[in-house]
Amino acid sequence: MIKAIKGTKDLLPVDSPRWKHLESIVEKVFKTFNYKEIRTPVFEETSLFARGIGEDTDIVGKEMYTFFDMGNTSLTLKPEMTASVVRAYNEHSLGSLQPVTKLYYIASMFRQERPQAGRLRQFNQFGAEAIGSSSPLLDVEMIQMSYNIVTDLGLKDLTIKINSLGVPKSRENYKNLLREYLNDKQHDLSEDSRKRFDTNILRIFDSKSTGDQKILKDAPKLMDHLDDESRADFEIVKEQLEKSHISYEVDPALVRGLDYYTKLTFEIISSSVGAQNALCGGGRYDLLIETLGGKPTPATGFAAGIERILLACENEKSFTVPDESLDIYIVRLDKTLESVVMQFADKLRKQNLSVDFDYLQRSVKAQMREANKMNAKFTLFVGGDEYEQEMTRLKNMESGKEEKISLNELDKLVSKIKNE
Ligand code: HAM
């Protein structure tokens, strides 16, 4: 038997109502903040991500699903949405329609990571990007939106971490200070961190090694070397979060795994899932639009992992969704009435009722069992003497009450079902 690829997951009908519940909350929250949906292709030119996310990141270095098409162009399944959204923003001059473009998405992403709980190779994100303003209020908006969504889902065990990475100039100065500090400690660092010392020194802060963390404890802090503008913006973010009653922690080690960030970065961490505990992450990326060929335009955004959030919801039992029930199950009393039942079901379905019936020529008893299993609100019996008189019998499955209705009184039947 052929099975699904490791790190991918089927969304089965039992899981789908929870998924839809999440999507309805996501769409409601984005609507309240006036974000509009964008969908982009599943694959893009590889250079978009290499340039956008950064050659020295784990994503570009080792996690992308890259292949050559028949024209020998290198293509990549999108590992994240921000680069694709910016590509679309530049390509369609979206900025000329509005000074601030607010976009949201729900889509599948692909990263060749080692699968584990909360870490997949095809996973789904929802997220938002606001392009066109450097106001820290938009950074706050990102945190408010993600926080509103996860709390609307009933999640409680949450920590919001924020940091500022400053503008490139202050960050470069800081990197030199860090390099100086770590220079004579290099041989005590883990192998990964030794590599990062040369390629992407800030990412050493992501190391899980206790030895590395011990060394980093006394390292100079980026927060103490921020430029004035980044510092002022960071103060506004903190003040607005406090006014919105959103508690946060400042985490100077929050460097994030993508290279495009400037100034604010944030993550929402859950303590009810395992090691993969970041439910969402984001921040400001004021230079990405020009890096990808557009006019210099500031921007900010975030993305959240749907599977991870639903795992947290399951562990916290944060919400339950009722089973999807069926409006009517039609029970056919005579085998010869198959076509009549089919046509009647069609009429009811056109009235927006959910209708099902037997396709296996089963006995009346078996059809009744099926109606119960499907949690049908009503059963409609078609056949026998009643049918000769152009009548049917409608049974309310909860109260057990039965009523005869003429087959020609479709309106009456529909209004009964909709109103009871
Ligand atoms: P990211 O931190 O790489 O950021 O991903 C955002 C979220 O996607 C993570 O917090 C996590 O919940 C989920 N996620 C990431 N990788 C996996 C995986 N392998 N399996 C399951 N879930 C995963 C970005 O993608 C940026 N584009 C966010 C952003 C938007 N920044 C600015 N705008």
Side-chain angles (χ1 to χ4, degrees):
M1 198 202 304
I2 298 176
K3 296 202 169 158
I5 304 292
K6 201 171 154 202
T8 69
K9 245 177 149 177
D10 296 310
L11 180 70
L12 298 174
V14 290
D15 310 315
S16 154
R18 290 165 56 71
W19 199 281
K20 277 204 242 166
H21 177 67
L22 176 142
E23 281 176 346
S24 71
I25 288 178
V26 166
E27 280 176 354
K28 181 202 78 183
V29 170
F30 284 144
K31 191 166 173 216
T32 59
F33 284 79
N34 195 27
Y35 282 68
K36 307 282 189 238
E37 192 185 18
I38 183 162
R39 298 185 195 198
T40 64
V42 166
F43 52 83
E44 301 265 5
E45 265 188 43
T46 303
S47 57
L48 172 71
F49 302 116
R51 252 204 284 164
I53 301 169
E55 298 275 3
D56 294 327
T57 58
D58 286 351
I59 296 180
V60 174
K62 50 186 187 197
E63 294 170 2
M64 295 204 300
Y65 278 98
T66 297
F67 58 98
F68 288 90
D69 71 357
M70 284 194 272
N72 223 20
T73 308
S74 177
L75 303 177
T76 294
L77 300 183
K78 60 187 172 196
E80 62 112 42
M81 271 296 275
T82 312
S84 297
V85 169
V86 169
R87 198 256 318 127
Y89 173 89
N90 286 342
E91 188 171 336
H92 305 287
S93 306
L94 295 182
S96 64
L97 306 175
Q98 262 160 342
V100 178
T101 307
K102 292 173 149 195
L103 303 166
Y104 84 87
Y105 46 82
I106 303 177
S108 286
M109 308 296 143
F110 305 85
R111 294 184 196 175
Q112 227 164 142
E113 294 190 82
R114 205 158 41 80
Q116 63 182 86
R119 196 207 264 154
L120 293 152
R121 290 185 164 174
Q122 175 174 354
F123 60 98
N124 291 275
Q125 286 187 340
F126 63 81
E129 314 293 345
I131 308 176
S133 163
S134 56
S135 167
L137 298 186
L138 278 173
D139 299 324
V140 176
E141 202 164 285
M142 294 301 154
I143 300 176
Q144 286 173 331
M145 287 193 291
S146 45
Y147 183 72
N148 286 1
I149 292 169
V150 288
T151 51
D152 273 7
L153 284 165
L155 287 178
K156 293 208 163 64
D157 303 334
L158 303 166
T159 309
I160 298 178
K161 293 189 169 179
I162 61 171
N163 189 23
S164 176
L165 299 183
V167 297
K169 192 163 179 295
S170 60
R171 191 159 63 224
E172 283 316 309
N173 291 342
Y174 168 74
K175 278 187 190 171
N176 288 336
L177 286 176
L178 187 62
R179 207 166 281 122
E180 245 169 61
Y181 169 82
L182 289 174
N183 199 23
D184 57 355
K185 304 175 183 64
Q186 269 193 73
H187 47 274
D188 295 326
L189 289 171
S190 65
E191 195 188 325
D192 266 356
S193 292
R194 273 204 303 276
K195 267 192 224 145
R196 285 173 172 168
F197 182 88
D198 295 319
T199 56
N200 205 344
I201 193 163
L202 280 186
R203 295 269 292 150
I204 291 183
F205 283 105
D206 270 351
S207 168
K208 298 260 185 297
S209 139
T210 42
D212 290 354
Q213 287 305 331
K214 222 166 133 192
I215 294 172
L216 288 169
K217 237 177 94 201
D218 297 323
K221 303 268 175 299
L222 175 56
M223 197 50 79
D224 300 331
H225 299 272
L226 279 185
D227 50 285
D228 290 345
E229 195 182 285
S230 299
R231 194 189 306 278
D233 285 357
F234 196 59
E235 288 307 313
I236 292 173
V237 169
K238 289 198 291 186
E239 185 192 318
Q240 287 301 322
L241 289 178
E242 277 150 32
K243 285 186 175 159
S244 314
H245 306 289
I246 297 178
S247 25
Y248 61 85
E249 274 175 23
V250 176
D251 179 1
L254 186 66
V255 289
R256 310 260 310 128
L258 305 99
D259 274 357
Y260 48 60
Y261 290 110
T262 52
K263 296 185 175 173
L264 186 87
T265 55
F266 79 96
E267 280 185 359
I268 300 184
I269 306 293
S270 164
S271 49
S272 60
V273 287
Q276 301 306 314
N277 58 6
L279 300 187
C280 79
R284 181 160 280 286
Y285 50 95
D286 287 343
L287 302 171
L288 184 61
I289 287 83
E290 54 187 297
T291 303
L292 295 176
K295 284 193 255 161
T297 313
T300 183
F302 83 95
I306 296 183
E307 287 84 354
R308 240 177 244 188
I309 289 181
L310 286 177
L311 188 66
C313 292
E314 212 173 306
N315 291 348
E316 289 188 35
K317 299 205 179 350
S318 71
F319 70 85
T320 44
V321 277
D323 287 344
E324 282 170 346
S325 63
L326 182 72
D327 289 325
I328 315 171
Y329 190 90
I330 306 181
V331 172
R332 172 191 25 72
L333 301 176
D334 304 312
K335 288 204 164 110
T336 53
L337 292 176
E338 217 168 26
S339 157
V340 172
V341 167
M342 170 98 205
Q343 292 310 317
F344 203 64
D346 184 46
K347 282 189 189 144
L348 293 170
R349 286 165 175 163
K350 283 180 177 141
Q351 299 293 320
N352 282 332
L353 292 170
S354 57
V355 185
D356 213 344
F357 57 89
D358 173 59
Y359 304 93
L360 297 170
Q361 300 228 310
R362 282 179 292 187
S363 67
V364 171
K365 213 166 146 192
Q367 292 178 64
M368 285 300 294
R369 255 202 314 270
E370 192 70 3
N372 274 320
K373 223 161 105 187
M374 287 186 181
N375 208 7
K377 288 188 210 136
F378 289 90
T379 320
L380 189 72
F381 296 91
V382 177
D385 294 344
E386 277 156 4
Y387 181 69
E388 299 294 314
Q389 295 151 25
E390 300 196 340
M391 299 292 277
T392 60
R393 205 160 18 101
L394 182 71
K395 180 178 179 183
N396 181 322
M397 297 294 274
E398 202 186 301
S399 65
K401 234 173 77 189
E402 292 192 13
E403 193 175 337
K404 280 188 183 174
I405 297 181
S406 163
L407 267 173
N408 303 317
E409 287 181 309
L410 187 72
D411 288 350
K412 190 173 159 195
L413 185 69
V414 171
S415 77
K416 258 207 114 34
I417 292 164
K418 285 191 176 164
N419 297 328
E420 254 186 46

